[in-house]
Amino acid sequence: MMVGASLHDDVEEILLDSQAVAGRVAELGAQIASDYAGRDPVLVSVLKGAMVFMADLMRAMDLPCSIDLMELSSYGSGTESTGQVRIIKDLSSPIYGRDVIVVEDIIDTGLTLNYLLRYLADKGPASIRIVCLLDKPARRLADIDIDYVGFTIPDRFVIGYGLDYAERYRNLPYVGVLKPSVYSGPPPEA
Ligand code: 5GP
């Protein structure tokens, strides 16, 4: 990467600016806090993409809750789902009898989430609901009911607000689409 080059130069279009994201995350947090009033859910987030969303969402919820983190791999560094899911990091605490809220960044084919839901259901939680920031229904292969959706977006590969391309761009404060030249150019320097 060139010295002084801006990450923003690689972005073709901003789909959701940081104000739009913050406003919607505040609404989701308030809705979840009201739906779970009197309960003490555990938010299970999927690293790494959902960490930014999780960090903002939990602070938008005025509710006692705990968090746990899992890491799954499904995409490698490309842009197509392989359908292969591997657990890289498991839950730290049992979820037996707990109200689980799975916090996802984006649902595309749904294969990753489908796997995760079956895995979590086997551990005997009292309930499982799903909150995802971005829903891309165009390529859905698994039939999944998403309880809370931030935004429904078209079938484009997006980056920013936690989402990466080849591990880059997670720190962009908005959700955007990369310039095609980024995909066709040389891989980013390590
Ligand atoms: P699925 O199994 O639903 O096809 O894919 C889920 C995972 O693939 C997401 O958690 C995310 O890591 C990745 N993914 C799907 N679509 C996109 C996208 O548009 N941009 C990025 N950066 N990752 C995506």
Side-chain angles (χ1 to χ4, degrees):
M1 194 167 274
M2 275 166 47
V3 176
S6 163
L7 274 187
H8 304 283
D9 294 342
D10 292 347
V11 177
E12 178 167 81
E13 190 188 333
I14 296 178
L15 280 188
L16 302 165
D17 65 24
S18 52
Q19 265 184 308
V21 173
R24 187 70 187 119
V25 171
E27 286 174 2
L28 288 171
Q31 179 71 53
I32 292 170
S34 136
D35 291 353
Y36 283 80
R39 285 145 82 190
D40 178 13
V42 53
L43 305 180
V44 174
S45 174
V46 185
L47 293 170
K48 303 170 190 162
M51 60 170 280
V52 176
F53 177 42
M54 168 86 139
D56 284 344
L57 181 70
M58 62 195 264
R59 286 177 292 175
M61 292 169 47
D62 182 8
L63 184 77
C65 64
S66 46
I67 66 168
D68 208 337
L69 300 164
M70 289 186 70
E71 184 168 2
L72 308 174
S73 86
S74 64
Y75 264 37
S77 57
T79 61
E80 290 294 315
S81 183
T82 59
Q84 301 285 319
V85 180
R86 203 157 51 95
I87 295 183
I88 296 174
K89 188 213 167 293
D90 207 341
L91 295 167
S92 308
S93 306
I95 54 168
Y96 183 81
R98 300 290 308 271
D99 291 311
V100 173
I101 304 176
V102 176
V103 180
E104 262 285 22
D105 48 2
I106 186 163
I107 302 176
D108 184 16
T109 64
L111 294 175
T112 310
L113 187 58
N114 201 35
Y115 171 90
L116 180 65
L117 291 175
R118 278 186 279 125
Y119 180 81
L120 295 175
D122 270 355
K123 302 197 173 296
S127 68
I128 306 183
R129 281 192 186 177
I130 302 157
V131 52
C132 85
L133 181 69
L134 305 171
D135 181 16
K136 276 207 300 200
R139 298 199 311 159
R140 191 64 41 81
L141 296 175
D143 185 20
I144 296 174
D145 278 337
I146 310 170
D147 303 278
Y148 307 95
V149 175
F151 300 92
T152 300
I153 61 167
D155 184 15
R156 301 180 75 181
F157 188 80
V158 294
I159 43 87
Y161 198 72
L163 290 159
D164 75 310
Y165 171 63
E167 295 298 330
R168 295 283 165 89
Y169 307 104
R170 294 190 195 276
N171 54 327
L172 285 173
Y174 48 75
V175 176
V177 176
L178 285 177
K179 290 179 179 161
S181 58
V182 177
Y183 299 111
S184 48
E189 290 162 29

mmCIF file of all heavy atoms in Angstrom, residues 55-102:
data_model
loop_
_atom_site.group_PDB
_atom_site.id
_atom_site.type_symbol
_atom_site.label_atom_id
_atom_site.label_comp_id
_atom_site.label_asym_id
_atom_site.label_seq_id
_atom_site.Cartn_x
_atom_site.Cartn_y
_atom_site.Cartn_z
ATOM 1 N N ALA A 55 -20.062 -4.602 19.381
ATOM 2 C CA ALA A 55 -19.584 -3.577 20.323
ATOM 3 C C ALA A 55 -20.565 -2.412 20.393
ATOM 4 O O ALA A 55 -20.827 -1.873 21.480
ATOM 5 C CB ALA A 55 -18.200 -3.084 19.896
ATOM 6 N N ASP A 56 -21.119 -2.028 19.259
ATOM 7 C CA ASP A 56 -22.077 -0.917 19.255
ATOM 8 C C ASP A 56 -23.444 -1.367 19.763
ATOM 9 O O ASP A 56 -24.100 -0.656 20.531
ATOM 10 C CB ASP A 56 -22.215 -0.329 17.841
ATOM 11 C CG ASP A 56 -21.017 0.532 17.462
ATOM 12 O OD1 ASP A 56 -20.244 0.916 18.368
ATOM 13 O OD2 ASP A 56 -20.856 0.814 16.266
ATOM 14 N N LEU A 57 -23.870 -2.560 19.332
ATOM 15 C CA LEU A 57 -25.209 -3.040 19.708
ATOM 16 C C LEU A 57 -25.329 -3.230 21.216
ATOM 17 O O LEU A 57 -26.324 -2.830 21.827
ATOM 18 C CB LEU A 57 -25.502 -4.366 18.996
ATOM 19 C CG LEU A 57 -26.877 -4.966 19.271
ATOM 20 C CD1 LEU A 57 -27.976 -4.121 18.615
ATOM 21 C CD2 LEU A 57 -26.965 -6.417 18.773
ATOM 22 N N MET A 58 -24.315 -3.816 21.852
ATOM 23 C CA MET A 58 -24.443 -4.083 23.296
ATOM 24 C C MET A 58 -24.530 -2.789 24.083
ATOM 25 O O MET A 58 -25.205 -2.725 25.109
ATOM 26 C CB MET A 58 -23.298 -4.988 23.796
ATOM 27 C CG MET A 58 -21.936 -4.421 23.648
ATOM 28 S SD MET A 58 -20.667 -5.706 23.833
ATOM 29 C CE MET A 58 -20.260 -5.479 25.541
ATOM 30 N N ARG A 59 -23.889 -1.739 23.572
ATOM 31 C CA ARG A 59 -23.968 -0.449 24.273
ATOM 32 C C ARG A 59 -25.271 0.275 23.984
ATOM 33 O O ARG A 59 -25.592 1.266 24.639
ATOM 34 C CB ARG A 59 -22.762 0.416 23.904
ATOM 35 C CG ARG A 59 -21.495 -0.097 24.582
ATOM 36 C CD ARG A 59 -20.288 0.693 24.165
ATOM 37 N NE ARG A 59 -19.976 0.458 22.762
ATOM 38 C CZ ARG A 59 -19.030 1.092 22.103
ATOM 39 N NH1 ARG A 59 -18.311 2.021 22.709
ATOM 40 N NH2 ARG A 59 -18.789 0.812 20.848
ATOM 41 N N ALA A 60 -26.027 -0.217 23.008
ATOM 42 C CA ALA A 60 -27.341 0.367 22.721
ATOM 43 C C ALA A 60 -28.451 -0.376 23.459
ATOM 44 O O ALA A 60 -29.627 -0.060 23.310
ATOM 45 C CB ALA A 60 -27.607 0.337 21.213
ATOM 46 N N MET A 61 -28.068 -1.394 24.264
ATOM 47 C CA MET A 61 -29.056 -2.198 24.991
ATOM 48 C C MET A 61 -28.983 -1.891 26.478
ATOM 49 O O MET A 61 -27.979 -2.189 27.120
ATOM 50 C CB MET A 61 -28.779 -3.691 24.790
ATOM 51 C CG MET A 61 -29.020 -4.171 23.381
ATOM 52 S SD MET A 61 -28.385 -5.840 23.119
ATOM 53 C CE MET A 61 -29.012 -6.691 24.537
ATOM 54 N N ASP A 62 -30.044 -1.318 27.022
ATOM 55 C CA ASP A 62 -30.101 -1.046 28.461
ATOM 56 C C ASP A 62 -30.717 -2.275 29.123
ATOM 57 O O ASP A 62 -31.916 -2.327 29.375
ATOM 58 C CB ASP A 62 -30.943 0.220 28.695
ATOM 59 C CG ASP A 62 -31.007 0.579 30.170
ATOM 60 O OD1 ASP A 62 -30.296 -0.050 30.966
ATOM 61 O OD2 ASP A 62 -31.791 1.478 30.517
ATOM 62 N N LEU A 63 -29.875 -3.266 29.359
ATOM 63 C CA LEU A 63 -30.349 -4.587 29.780
ATOM 64 C C LEU A 63 -29.160 -5.367 30.340
ATOM 65 O O LEU A 63 -28.084 -5.318 29.763
ATOM 66 C CB LEU A 63 -30.860 -5.322 28.533
ATOM 67 C CG LEU A 63 -31.504 -6.673 28.675
ATOM 68 C CD1 LEU A 63 -32.929 -6.533 29.192
ATOM 69 C CD2 LEU A 63 -31.533 -7.374 27.320
ATOM 70 N N PRO A 64 -29.350 -6.101 31.467
ATOM 71 C CA PRO A 64 -28.247 -6.957 31.908
ATOM 72 C C PRO A 64 -28.039 -8.058 30.862
ATOM 73 O O PRO A 64 -29.007 -8.692 30.435
ATOM 74 C CB PRO A 64 -28.745 -7.570 33.223
ATOM 75 C CG PRO A 64 -30.036 -6.901 33.541
ATOM 76 C CD PRO A 64 -30.542 -6.233 32.306
ATOM 77 N N CYS A 65 -26.824 -8.259 30.451
ATOM 78 C CA CYS A 65 -26.551 -9.335 29.500
ATOM 79 C C CYS A 65 -25.084 -9.708 29.599
ATOM 80 O O CYS A 65 -24.293 -8.962 30.165
ATOM 81 C CB CYS A 65 -26.896 -8.916 28.068
ATOM 82 S SG CYS A 65 -25.908 -7.564 27.409
ATOM 83 N N SER A 66 -24.755 -10.890 29.081
ATOM 84 C CA SER A 66 -23.343 -11.239 28.982
ATOM 85 C C SER A 66 -23.030 -11.487 27.511
ATOM 86 O O SER A 66 -23.940 -11.534 26.677
ATOM 87 C CB SER A 66 -23.014 -12.448 29.849
ATOM 88 O OG SER A 66 -23.969 -13.451 29.673
ATOM 89 N N ILE A 67 -21.763 -11.619 27.228
ATOM 90 C CA ILE A 67 -21.377 -11.849 25.831
ATOM 91 C C ILE A 67 -20.444 -13.047 25.735
ATOM 92 O O ILE A 67 -19.770 -13.415 26.698
ATOM 93 C CB ILE A 67 -20.682 -10.613 25.191
ATOM 94 C CG1 ILE A 67 -19.335 -10.335 25.845
ATOM 95 C CG2 ILE A 67 -21.577 -9.395 25.250
ATOM 96 C CD1 ILE A 67 -18.494 -9.335 25.057
ATOM 97 N N ASP A 68 -20.434 -13.659 24.581
ATOM 98 C CA ASP A 68 -19.462 -14.712 24.300
ATOM 99 C C ASP A 68 -19.078 -14.572 22.828
ATOM 100 O O ASP A 68 -19.815 -13.958 22.049
ATOM 101 C CB ASP A 68 -20.053 -16.097 24.594
ATOM 102 C CG ASP A 68 -18.982 -17.110 24.992
ATOM 103 O OD1 ASP A 68 -17.801 -16.897 24.631
ATOM 104 O OD2 ASP A 68 -19.328 -18.110 25.647
ATOM 105 N N LEU A 69 -17.943 -15.116 22.483
ATOM 106 C CA LEU A 69 -17.426 -14.943 21.132
ATOM 107 C C LEU A 69 -17.050 -16.278 20.526
ATOM 108 O O LEU A 69 -16.411 -17.094 21.178
ATOM 109 C CB LEU A 69 -16.170 -14.052 21.159
ATOM 110 C CG LEU A 69 -16.370 -12.653 21.717
ATOM 111 C CD1 LEU A 69 -15.026 -12.016 22.055
ATOM 112 C CD2 LEU A 69 -17.126 -11.789 20.722
ATOM 113 N N MET A 70 -17.466 -16.479 19.292
ATOM 114 C CA MET A 70 -17.016 -17.660 18.553
ATOM 115 C C MET A 70 -16.324 -17.180 17.287
ATOM 116 O O MET A 70 -16.565 -16.068 16.834
ATOM 117 C CB MET A 70 -18.205 -18.538 18.152
ATOM 118 C CG MET A 70 -18.846 -19.241 19.318
ATOM 119 S SD MET A 70 -20.120 -20.396 18.756
ATOM 120 C CE MET A 70 -19.139 -21.683 17.966
ATOM 121 N N GLU A 71 -15.484 -18.021 16.752
ATOM 122 C CA GLU A 71 -14.940 -17.694 15.443
ATOM 123 C C GLU A 71 -15.131 -18.898 14.535
ATOM 124 O O GLU A 71 -14.823 -20.032 14.902
ATOM 125 C CB GLU A 71 -13.453 -17.314 15.517
ATOM 126 C CG GLU A 71 -12.943 -16.882 14.151
ATOM 127 C CD GLU A 71 -11.579 -16.221 14.167
ATOM 128 O OE1 GLU A 71 -10.973 -16.116 15.249
ATOM 129 O OE2 GLU A 71 -11.127 -15.812 13.074
ATOM 130 N N LEU A 72 -15.695 -18.638 13.384
ATOM 131 C CA LEU A 72 -15.939 -19.677 12.390
ATOM 132 C C LEU A 72 -15.236 -19.269 11.119
ATOM 133 O O LEU A 72 -15.033 -18.081 10.867
ATOM 134 C CB LEU A 72 -17.437 -19.779 12.071
ATOM 135 C CG LEU A 72 -18.411 -19.921 13.231
ATOM 136 C CD1 LEU A 72 -19.842 -19.864 12.701
ATOM 137 C CD2 LEU A 72 -18.178 -21.245 13.945
ATOM 138 N N SER A 73 -14.886 -20.231 10.309
ATOM 139 C CA SER A 73 -14.369 -19.833 9.007
ATOM 140 C C SER A 73 -15.275 -20.421 7.943
ATOM 141 O O SER A 73 -15.700 -21.567 8.037
ATOM 142 C CB SER A 73 -12.947 -20.317 8.813
ATOM 143 O OG SER A 73 -12.957 -21.630 8.324
ATOM 144 N N SER A 74 -15.613 -19.612 6.973
ATOM 145 C CA SER A 74 -16.401 -20.151 5.864
ATOM 146 C C SER A 74 -15.915 -19.629 4.533
ATOM 147 O O SER A 74 -16.091 -20.277 3.516
ATOM 148 C CB SER A 74 -17.884 -19.812 6.022
ATOM 149 O OG SER A 74 -18.090 -18.433 5.968
ATOM 150 N N TYR A 75 -15.277 -18.476 4.543
ATOM 151 C CA TYR A 75 -14.981 -17.838 3.252
ATOM 152 C C TYR A 75 -13.515 -17.863 2.845
ATOM 153 O O TYR A 75 -13.216 -17.540 1.722
ATOM 154 C CB TYR A 75 -15.410 -16.367 3.309
ATOM 155 C CG TYR A 75 -16.771 -16.094 2.744
ATOM 156 C CD1 TYR A 75 -17.810 -16.985 2.916
ATOM 157 C CD2 TYR A 75 -17.009 -14.938 2.017
ATOM 158 C CE1 TYR A 75 -19.054 -16.738 2.410
ATOM 159 C CE2 TYR A 75 -18.254 -14.668 1.496
ATOM 160 C CZ TYR A 75 -19.282 -15.576 1.699
ATOM 161 O OH TYR A 75 -20.508 -15.310 1.182
ATOM 162 N N GLY A 76 -12.588 -18.185 3.744
ATOM 163 C CA GLY A 76 -11.184 -17.970 3.411
ATOM 164 C C GLY A 76 -10.988 -16.508 3.116
ATOM 165 O O GLY A 76 -11.624 -15.656 3.723
ATOM 166 N N SER A 77 -10.179 -16.170 2.132
ATOM 167 C CA SER A 77 -9.980 -14.751 1.844
ATOM 168 C C SER A 77 -10.674 -14.345 0.548
ATOM 169 O O SER A 77 -10.479 -13.272 0.033
ATOM 170 C CB SER A 77 -8.491 -14.416 1.788
ATOM 171 O OG SER A 77 -7.886 -15.226 0.817
ATOM 172 N N GLY A 78 -11.498 -15.229 -0.019
ATOM 173 C CA GLY A 78 -12.192 -14.885 -1.261
ATOM 174 C C GLY A 78 -13.529 -14.226 -0.994
ATOM 175 O O GLY A 78 -13.785 -13.756 0.101
ATOM 176 N N THR A 79 -14.408 -14.206 -1.993
ATOM 177 C CA THR A 79 -15.695 -13.542 -1.825
ATOM 178 C C THR A 79 -16.865 -14.512 -2.016
ATOM 179 O O THR A 79 -18.003 -14.103 -2.043
ATOM 180 C CB THR A 79 -15.859 -12.377 -2.824
ATOM 181 O OG1 THR A 79 -15.792 -12.899 -4.142
ATOM 182 C CG2 THR A 79 -14.790 -11.334 -2.627
ATOM 183 N N GLU A 80 -16.604 -15.811 -2.179
ATOM 184 C CA GLU A 80 -17.676 -16.778 -2.383
ATOM 185 C C GLU A 80 -17.757 -17.744 -1.218
ATOM 186 O O GLU A 80 -16.734 -18.240 -0.742
ATOM 187 C CB GLU A 80 -17.404 -17.592 -3.660
ATOM 188 C CG GLU A 80 -17.557 -16.790 -4.939
ATOM 189 C CD GLU A 80 -18.993 -16.342 -5.170
ATOM 190 O OE1 GLU A 80 -19.896 -17.180 -4.985
ATOM 191 O OE2 GLU A 80 -19.208 -15.175 -5.513
ATOM 192 N N SER A 81 -18.981 -18.066 -0.772
ATOM 193 C CA SER A 81 -19.144 -19.028 0.308
ATOM 194 C C SER A 81 -18.778 -20.418 -0.191
ATOM 195 O O SER A 81 -19.110 -20.799 -1.306
ATOM 196 C CB SER A 81 -20.605 -19.035 0.791
ATOM 197 O OG SER A 81 -20.738 -19.920 1.869
ATOM 198 N N THR A 82 -18.063 -21.175 0.639
ATOM 199 C CA THR A 82 -17.701 -22.534 0.256
ATOM 200 C C THR A 82 -18.684 -23.538 0.830
ATOM 201 O O THR A 82 -18.711 -24.679 0.413
ATOM 202 C CB THR A 82 -16.308 -22.888 0.804
ATOM 203 O OG1 THR A 82 -16.362 -22.762 2.220
ATOM 204 C CG2 THR A 82 -15.242 -21.943 0.256
ATOM 205 N N GLY A 83 -19.496 -23.098 1.828
ATOM 206 C CA GLY A 83 -20.391 -24.030 2.501
ATOM 207 C C GLY A 83 -19.666 -24.835 3.568
ATOM 208 O O GLY A 83 -20.281 -25.549 4.342
ATOM 209 N N GLN A 84 -18.359 -24.754 3.611
ATOM 210 C CA GLN A 84 -17.567 -25.466 4.612
ATOM 211 C C GLN A 84 -17.415 -24.570 5.824
ATOM 212 O O GLN A 84 -16.977 -23.436 5.682
ATOM 213 C CB GLN A 84 -16.164 -25.756 4.070
ATOM 214 C CG GLN A 84 -16.146 -26.580 2.813
ATOM 215 C CD GLN A 84 -16.460 -28.036 3.100
ATOM 216 O OE1 GLN A 84 -15.983 -28.593 4.084
ATOM 217 N NE2 GLN A 84 -17.291 -28.640 2.275
ATOM 218 N N VAL A 85 -17.805 -25.064 7.005
ATOM 219 C CA VAL A 85 -17.692 -24.250 8.206
ATOM 220 C C VAL A 85 -16.795 -24.978 9.206
ATOM 221 O O VAL A 85 -16.909 -26.184 9.402
ATOM 222 C CB VAL A 85 -19.076 -23.991 8.834
ATOM 223 C CG1 VAL A 85 -18.954 -23.134 10.077
ATOM 224 C CG2 VAL A 85 -20.004 -23.326 7.825
ATOM 225 N N ARG A 86 -15.904 -24.243 9.803
ATOM 226 C CA ARG A 86 -14.971 -24.812 10.772
ATOM 227 C C ARG A 86 -15.018 -23.932 12.010
ATOM 228 O O ARG A 86 -15.063 -22.703 11.888
ATOM 229 C CB ARG A 86 -13.572 -24.731 10.159
ATOM 230 C CG ARG A 86 -12.549 -25.683 10.692
ATOM 231 C CD ARG A 86 -11.443 -25.863 9.637
ATOM 232 N NE ARG A 86 -10.926 -24.587 9.145
ATOM 233 C CZ ARG A 86 -9.849 -23.980 9.627
ATOM 234 N NH1 ARG A 86 -9.182 -24.493 10.641
ATOM 235 N NH2 ARG A 86 -9.423 -22.835 9.098
ATOM 236 N N ILE A 87 -15.028 -24.546 13.213
ATOM 237 C CA ILE A 87 -14.980 -23.738 14.436
ATOM 238 C C ILE A 87 -13.527 -23.457 14.769
ATOM 239 O O ILE A 87 -12.747 -24.378 15.007
ATOM 240 C CB ILE A 87 -15.662 -24.460 15.614
ATOM 241 C CG1 ILE A 87 -17.152 -24.606 15.319
ATOM 242 C CG2 ILE A 87 -15.457 -23.675 16.913
ATOM 243 C CD1 ILE A 87 -17.938 -25.237 16.427
ATOM 244 N N ILE A 88 -13.188 -22.183 14.779
ATOM 245 C CA ILE A 88 -11.819 -21.789 15.115
ATOM 246 C C ILE A 88 -11.738 -21.442 16.597
ATOM 247 O O ILE A 88 -10.754 -21.711 17.256
ATOM 248 C CB ILE A 88 -11.391 -20.587 14.245
ATOM 249 C CG1 ILE A 88 -11.365 -21.030 12.789
ATOM 250 C CG2 ILE A 88 -10.040 -20.038 14.676
ATOM 251 C CD1 ILE A 88 -11.090 -19.924 11.823
ATOM 252 N N LYS A 89 -12.824 -20.812 17.102
ATOM 253 C CA LYS A 89 -12.888 -20.509 18.540
ATOM 254 C C LYS A 89 -14.288 -20.852 19.031
ATOM 255 O O LYS A 89 -15.268 -20.389 18.470
ATOM 256 C CB LYS A 89 -12.582 -19.027 18.792
ATOM 257 C CG LYS A 89 -12.442 -18.709 20.269
ATOM 258 C CD LYS A 89 -12.927 -17.313 20.610
ATOM 259 C CE LYS A 89 -13.090 -17.116 22.090
ATOM 260 N NZ LYS A 89 -14.166 -17.921 22.700
ATOM 261 N N ASP A 90 -14.342 -21.645 20.113
ATOM 262 C CA ASP A 90 -15.627 -22.109 20.654
ATOM 263 C C ASP A 90 -16.118 -21.162 21.755
ATOM 264 O O ASP A 90 -15.391 -20.253 22.176
ATOM 265 C CB ASP A 90 -15.437 -23.533 21.215
ATOM 266 C CG ASP A 90 -16.734 -24.335 21.184
ATOM 267 O OD1 ASP A 90 -17.821 -23.723 21.077
ATOM 268 O OD2 ASP A 90 -16.661 -25.566 21.285
ATOM 269 N N LEU A 91 -17.338 -21.396 22.234
ATOM 270 C CA LEU A 91 -17.898 -20.638 23.365
ATOM 271 C C LEU A 91 -16.990 -20.774 24.589
ATOM 272 O O LEU A 91 -16.381 -21.827 24.796
ATOM 273 C CB LEU A 91 -19.272 -21.188 23.727
ATOM 274 C CG LEU A 91 -20.378 -21.035 22.687
ATOM 275 C CD1 LEU A 91 -21.564 -21.910 23.078
ATOM 276 C CD2 LEU A 91 -20.795 -19.573 22.584
ATOM 277 N N SER A 92 -16.957 -19.732 25.416
ATOM 278 C CA SER A 92 -16.170 -19.811 26.659
ATOM 279 C C SER A 92 -16.991 -20.363 27.815
ATOM 280 O O SER A 92 -16.432 -20.908 28.762
ATOM 281 C CB SER A 92 -15.674 -18.427 27.074
ATOM 282 O OG SER A 92 -15.020 -17.806 26.019
ATOM 283 N N SER A 93 -18.329 -20.159 27.786
ATOM 284 C CA SER A 93 -19.182 -20.593 28.898
ATOM 285 C C SER A 93 -20.365 -21.387 28.354
ATOM 286 O O SER A 93 -20.806 -21.143 27.226
ATOM 287 C CB SER A 93 -19.736 -19.375 29.649
ATOM 288 O OG SER A 93 -18.687 -18.542 30.044
ATOM 289 N N PRO A 94 -20.915 -22.295 29.168
ATOM 290 C CA PRO A 94 -22.086 -23.075 28.727
ATOM 291 C C PRO A 94 -23.285 -22.157 28.463
ATOM 292 O O PRO A 94 -23.457 -21.148 29.149
ATOM 293 C CB PRO A 94 -22.375 -23.997 29.910
ATOM 294 C CG PRO A 94 -21.198 -23.924 30.809
ATOM 295 C CD PRO A 94 -20.497 -22.648 30.535
ATOM 296 N N ILE A 95 -24.112 -22.528 27.497
ATOM 297 C CA ILE A 95 -25.313 -21.733 27.217
ATOM 298 C C ILE A 95 -26.574 -22.500 27.601
ATOM 299 O O ILE A 95 -27.685 -22.074 27.294
ATOM 300 C CB ILE A 95 -25.385 -21.310 25.731
ATOM 301 C CG1 ILE A 95 -25.275 -22.527 24.814
ATOM 302 C CG2 ILE A 95 -24.312 -20.273 25.420
ATOM 303 C CD1 ILE A 95 -25.632 -22.223 23.370
ATOM 304 N N TYR A 96 -26.404 -23.627 28.287
ATOM 305 C CA TYR A 96 -27.554 -24.432 28.704
ATOM 306 C C TYR A 96 -28.532 -23.565 29.511
ATOM 307 O O TYR A 96 -28.133 -22.890 30.462
ATOM 308 C CB TYR A 96 -27.092 -25.622 29.557
ATOM 309 C CG TYR A 96 -28.237 -26.509 29.952
ATOM 310 C CD1 TYR A 96 -28.734 -27.463 29.061
ATOM 311 C CD2 TYR A 96 -28.856 -26.366 31.197
ATOM 312 C CE1 TYR A 96 -29.812 -28.261 29.411
ATOM 313 C CE2 TYR A 96 -29.937 -27.162 31.542
ATOM 314 C CZ TYR A 96 -30.416 -28.101 30.644
ATOM 315 O OH TYR A 96 -31.495 -28.876 30.985
ATOM 316 N N GLY A 97 -29.807 -23.546 29.107
ATOM 317 C CA GLY A 97 -30.829 -22.800 29.839
ATOM 318 C C GLY A 97 -30.801 -21.293 29.628
ATOM 319 O O GLY A 97 -31.624 -20.582 30.205
ATOM 320 N N ARG A 98 -29.878 -20.815 28.802
ATOM 321 C CA ARG A 98 -29.766 -19.357 28.590
ATOM 322 C C ARG A 98 -30.582 -18.912 27.373
ATOM 323 O O ARG A 98 -30.842 -19.688 26.460
ATOM 324 C CB ARG A 98 -28.293 -18.954 28.338
ATOM 325 C CG ARG A 98 -27.323 -19.282 29.453
ATOM 326 C CD ARG A 98 -27.528 -18.427 30.685
ATOM 327 N NE ARG A 98 -27.553 -16.998 30.454
ATOM 328 C CZ ARG A 98 -26.474 -16.210 30.467
ATOM 329 N NH1 ARG A 98 -25.286 -16.719 30.707
ATOM 330 N NH2 ARG A 98 -26.585 -14.902 30.276
ATOM 331 N N ASP A 99 -30.961 -17.623 27.396
ATOM 332 C CA ASP A 99 -31.547 -17.000 26.210
ATOM 333 C C ASP A 99 -30.393 -16.480 25.352
ATOM 334 O O ASP A 99 -29.689 -15.552 25.755
ATOM 335 C CB ASP A 99 -32.465 -15.842 26.620
ATOM 336 C CG ASP A 99 -33.721 -16.331 27.319
ATOM 337 O OD1 ASP A 99 -34.380 -17.249 26.784
ATOM 338 O OD2 ASP A 99 -34.035 -15.805 28.406
ATOM 339 N N VAL A 100 -30.218 -17.103 24.199
ATOM 340 C CA VAL A 100 -29.079 -16.765 23.339
ATOM 341 C C VAL A 100 -29.519 -15.831 22.217
ATOM 342 O O VAL A 100 -30.552 -16.065 21.578
ATOM 343 C CB VAL A 100 -28.472 -18.053 22.726
ATOM 344 C CG1 VAL A 100 -27.404 -17.716 21.688
ATOM 345 C CG2 VAL A 100 -27.900 -18.949 23.811
ATOM 346 N N ILE A 101 -28.762 -14.790 22.018
ATOM 347 C CA ILE A 101 -28.978 -13.924 20.855
ATOM 348 C C ILE A 101 -27.707 -13.989 20.005
ATOM 349 O O ILE A 101 -26.632 -13.575 20.449
ATOM 350 C CB ILE A 101 -29.259 -12.459 21.268
ATOM 351 C CG1 ILE A 101 -30.447 -12.387 22.228
ATOM 352 C CG2 ILE A 101 -29.502 -11.601 20.023
ATOM 353 C CD1 ILE A 101 -30.724 -10.971 22.770
ATOM 354 N N VAL A 102 -27.834 -14.557 18.820
ATOM 355 C CA VAL A 102 -26.684 -14.645 17.926
ATOM 356 C C VAL A 102 -26.550 -13.325 17.174
ATOM 357 O O VAL A 102 -27.503 -12.853 16.550
ATOM 358 C CB VAL A 102 -26.855 -15.805 16.915
ATOM 359 C CG1 VAL A 102 -25.703 -15.834 15.921
ATOM 360 C CG2 VAL A 102 -26.981 -17.136 17.644
#
